[in-house]
């Protein structure tokens, strides 16, 4: 556990994937971020970027236990699960964490969308050993190897869970799909206090935020304000609107870095070390 954490971005887009040459630099896959330590791998969300991660893991033939933390059940955060190669590997152990609701368990929610009629195979057909862990926002739990995960309720239609992973000397916060009004910014800043990294929602610009109040997203300016309020070392903005091209995001990132050099925009396959 003395090695630094490796953070890698596999999906940076919000709402829907985009397959277009104008979206190659920042990426067109939806939300998925991995945190790797020694022989362990923690995965935040299962958007379409999860499929790319699965291919990379198959090439490396390592990490036979995987822990996947799901923030919520909107399609852009779970649509990569059916195509995740490791579900079909009998030597892999996969632990899924998330929330039940509306009288349906966490496992039941996933089984509703992964299986017939929405997908030809379901969890009962997967060869990997799959374990469901139902959690609630506000709870904390241990993953393994001394990594502690804390949770916070985010401000988003239908609800979302924000995550913080900690071990002595290292911490990272995953705070996507969260609208940062004053109260939410204060609560998330306290939750993320002193973190080494905050992965924050930048779905809209400040101008677009005026038109999309209540949609449960934030801007890169709010992400910078969050980093400063939390005293975090670095912020990475992601979950970009599917309408924002590389050219547009490049211009916005220059503005963001000029305002706060400790902040940047995520790009698919970008790596950070904590």
């Amino acid at each position: 556990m003395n090695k630094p954490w490796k953070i890698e971005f596999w999906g940076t887009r919000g709402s829907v994937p985009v397959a277009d040459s104008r979206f190659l630099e920042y990426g067109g896959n939806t939300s998925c971020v991995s945190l790797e330590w020694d022989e362990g791998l923690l995965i935040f969300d299962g958007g379409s970027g999860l499929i790319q991660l699965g291919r990379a893991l198959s090439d490396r033939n390592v990490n036979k236990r995987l822990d996947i933390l799901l923030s919520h059940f909107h399609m852009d955060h779970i649509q990569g699960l059916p195509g995740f190669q490791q579900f079909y590997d009998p030597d892999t152990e996969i632990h899924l964490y998330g929330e039940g609701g509306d009288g349906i368990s966490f496992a039941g929610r996933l089984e509703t969308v992964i299986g017939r009629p929405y997908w030809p195979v379901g969890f009962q057909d997967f060869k990997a050993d799959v374990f469901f862990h139902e959690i609630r926002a506000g709870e904390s739990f241990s993953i393994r190897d001394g990594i502690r995960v804390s949770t916070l309720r985010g401000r988003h239609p239908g609800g979302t869970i924000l995550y913080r992973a900690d071990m002595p000397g290292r911490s990272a916060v995953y705070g996507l799909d969260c609208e940062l009004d004053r109260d939410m910014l204060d609560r998330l800043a306290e939750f993320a206090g002193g973190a080494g990294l905050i992965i924050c929602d930048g779905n809209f610009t400040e101008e677009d935020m005026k038109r999309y109040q209540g949609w449960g997203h934030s801007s890169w300016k709010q992400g910078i304000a969050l980093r400063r309020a939390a005293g975090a070392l670095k912020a990475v903005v992601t979950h970009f609107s599917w309408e924002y091209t590389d050219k547009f995001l490049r211009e916005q990132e220059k503005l963001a870095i000029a305002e706060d050099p400790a902040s940047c925009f995520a790009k698919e396959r970008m790596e950070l070390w904590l």
Side-chain angles (χ1 to χ4, degrees):
M1 291 297 291
N2 293 324
K3 295 180 181 178
W5 286 354
K6 178 184 176 183
I7 310 289
E8 192 163 2
F9 292 82
W10 302 91
T12 62
R13 199 62 57 172
S15 299
V16 295
V18 284
D20 188 298
S21 60
R22 298 171 299 163
F23 300 86
L24 293 177
E25 182 180 349
Y26 288 86
N29 283 301
T30 59
S31 297
C32 182
V33 178
S34 62
L35 186 163
E36 185 174 359
W37 74 94
D38 296 333
E39 297 302 318
L41 192 74
L42 182 61
I43 301 167
F44 298 101
D45 270 334
S48 63
L50 182 66
I51 297 172
Q52 308 303 317
L53 171 56
R55 290 171 179 162
L57 292 176
S58 294
D59 291 341
R60 290 161 49 187
N61 194 33
V62 294
N63 295 311
K64 290 302 184 181
R65 169 171 168 162
L66 306 171
D67 295 271
I68 304 176
L69 306 177
L70 299 178
S71 61
H72 62 309
F73 283 85
H74 286 169
M75 289 302 298
D76 52 328
H77 293 260
I78 64 170
Q79 62 196 166
L81 289 170
F84 189 46
Q85 292 184 19
Q86 280 59 40
F87 279 124
Y88 303 90
D89 179 359
D91 296 323
T92 299
E93 180 180 313
I94 299 175
H95 292 256
L96 294 160
Y97 302 78
E99 193 171 30
D102 299 321
I104 305 173
S105 68
F106 169 56
R109 282 178 142 188
L110 281 177
E111 290 166 348
T112 298
V113 293
I114 301 176
R116 299 176 182 88
Y118 303 109
W119 193 253
V121 296
F123 283 98
Q124 70 276 8
D125 302 304
F126 294 151
K127 295 180 180 179
D129 289 325
V130 181
F131 300 89
F132 298 94
H133 303 271
E134 185 160 335
I135 60 173
R136 294 182 179 179
E139 294 180 345
S140 298
F141 52 93
S142 295
I143 294 288
R144 56 192 175 114
D145 297 337
I147 291 184
R148 187 76 177 166
V149 175
S150 306
T151 63
L152 177 72
R153 171 69 67 211
R155 188 169 185 261
H156 190 72
T160 187
I161 294 180
L162 315 180
Y163 291 99
R164 174 172 178 147
D166 280 283
M167 65 164 288
R170 296 185 182 91
S171 56
V173 172
Y174 183 81
L176 299 193
D177 288 54
C178 183
E179 190 164 343
L180 294 179
D181 61 6
R182 185 71 254 176
D183 176 67
M184 188 70 239
L185 191 148
D186 289 344
R187 288 192 287 119
L188 183 50
E190 181 179 1
F191 179 74
L197 172 68
I198 300 178
I199 300 168
C200 53
D201 189 304
N203 198 89
F204 297 122
T205 62
E206 285 287 296
E207 188 62 30
D208 283 345
M209 279 293 299
K210 297 174 184 177
R211 297 188 290 133
Y212 296 114
Q213 292 291 324
W215 284 43
H217 294 290
S218 298
S219 69
W220 62 258
K221 279 185 174 289
Q222 291 173 313
I224 287 174
L226 173 63
R227 186 201 70 78
R228 289 172 171 163
L233 295 180
K234 189 173 185 65
V236 177
V237 178
T238 187
H239 201 280
F240 308 117
S241 168
W242 59 274
E243 297 179 321
Y244 293 170
T245 64
D246 288 333
K247 179 181 179 182
F248 181 78
L249 289 175
R250 203 178 300 123
E251 293 167 351
Q252 292 295 308
E253 186 177 19
K254 287 179 182 178
L255 295 174
I257 292 174
E259 186 168 327
D260 182 19
S263 298
C264 69
F265 284 16
K267 298 178 180 179
E268 280 188 24
R269 301 308 302 268
M270 184 174 85
E271 298 178 3
L272 297 174
W273 298 85
L274 292 181

